[in-house]
Amino acid sequence: MNSSIAPTRGFHDVITGSFGRLARVYDTAVVQQVFYRPPQDEAIAELRRNRSRRIADIACGTGILADRIQRELQPDQVFGVDASPGMLEQARARTPLVTWLQSTAEQLPFDDGALDAIVTTTAFHFFDQPAAVAEFARVLGVGGLVVIATAHPTGVVARGLRQFTRSTLAPAHAPAPGETRELLRDRGFDVLDQRKVHRPLPDRLIPDVITVGRKR
């Protein structure tokens, strides 16, 4: 994928508008339990092991994960970042204890080295991935943790995403596990772990992968 942000502008507009309209559906118990809760559980476990204190959830949606991070881990700062005003409206109503910011993953609103952990779950396939990982590296301090959970390219979800975004300038791209590892290593991260997300559903339906890296 091209690391330039400009070609993805139309794509971001499509995704931002679509998810703004879907914000209320996104919050339903069934959708959360089936699709979003498993990778979020694993992301929280990684943050707990790392004892992270300044954490940003990128493409935070309606703020469920960022809120859980704040309540369950009680770090010094939690930021929820999303490009969709509709999603952030729901997030701000959820809790005032998280700092909610409207921005894309490719242009994060943080100073260099401002964070010690970044998580992104079930959204990385929508990013300009080289540009986003470069931003993760910029805003994380040395030793900072990155946790990425994303759809596997062979799964039903990945095929559906390609269909959903087929008319945009930059269709959704679910990276192969090796591609995610290479992206992280090329931008200054050591890959600590990569594994399938444990789910109650058969792997063939949602075979998503979580990748954990640490900035060198």
Side-chain angles (χ1 to χ4, degrees):
M1 293 181 69
N2 194 322
S3 62
S4 170
I5 294 172
T8 69
R9 187 71 62 194
F11 175 67
H12 276 307
D13 291 345
V14 170
I15 296 303
T16 297
S18 298
F19 279 96
R21 291 188 294 272
L22 291 171
R24 291 180 182 175
V25 174
Y26 178 94
D27 265 5
T28 60
V30 171
V31 170
Q32 285 296 319
Q33 192 66 30
V34 171
F35 291 101
Y36 297 107
R37 180 87 184 202
Q40 291 175 0
D41 288 346
E42 297 203 27
I44 286 177
E46 293 293 341
L47 294 172
R48 181 176 284 112
R49 277 191 287 271
N50 195 62
R51 299 183 181 179
S52 303
R53 305 309 304 169
R54 296 168 297 159
I55 303 164
D57 177 17
I58 310 302
C60 65
T62 61
I64 290 175
L65 176 57
D67 179 40
R68 286 187 61 195
I69 291 169
Q70 194 282 322
R71 288 186 291 103
E72 297 178 26
L73 304 182
Q74 297 186 348
D76 296 336
Q77 291 179 295
V78 182
F79 301 92
V81 180
D82 203 280
S84 167
M87 288 288 187
L88 288 174
E89 182 180 1
Q90 297 278 100
R92 290 189 179 102
R94 186 178 302 282
T95 177
L97 300 179
V98 173
T99 301
W100 306 106
L101 302 169
Q102 185 178 351
S103 185
T104 67
E106 298 85 359
Q107 292 181 313
L108 293 174
F110 302 108
D111 293 336
D112 295 358
L115 303 174
D116 60 24
I118 279 176
V119 298
T120 183
T121 61
T122 324
F124 191 64
H125 36 265
F126 291 130
F127 300 166
D128 178 335
Q129 291 151 18
V133 174
E135 275 291 88
F136 297 169
R138 181 185 68 80
V139 303
L140 285 169
V142 174
L145 191 75
V146 61
V147 181
I148 298 170
T150 193
H152 192 285
T154 63
V156 172
V157 169
R159 293 197 295 273
L161 288 168
R162 287 194 292 271
Q163 284 293 104
F164 173 62
T165 61
R166 66 186 182 279
S167 63
T168 67
L169 296 177
H173 172 66
E179 188 177 349
T180 304
R181 291 196 303 271
E182 183 178 359
L183 273 173
L184 289 175
R185 288 169 178 157
D186 285 351
R187 284 153 183 83
F189 291 91
D190 292 321
V191 177
L192 306 180
D193 192 17
Q194 188 174 66
R195 61 186 185 271
K196 289 182 179 179
V197 173
H198 178 71
R199 288 181 176 275
L201 296 174
D203 284 349
R204 67 181 179 276
L205 293 179
I206 314 178
D208 44 353
V209 175
I210 189 165
T211 306
V212 183
R214 189 179 303 283
K215 183 179 172 180
R216 292 193 288 270

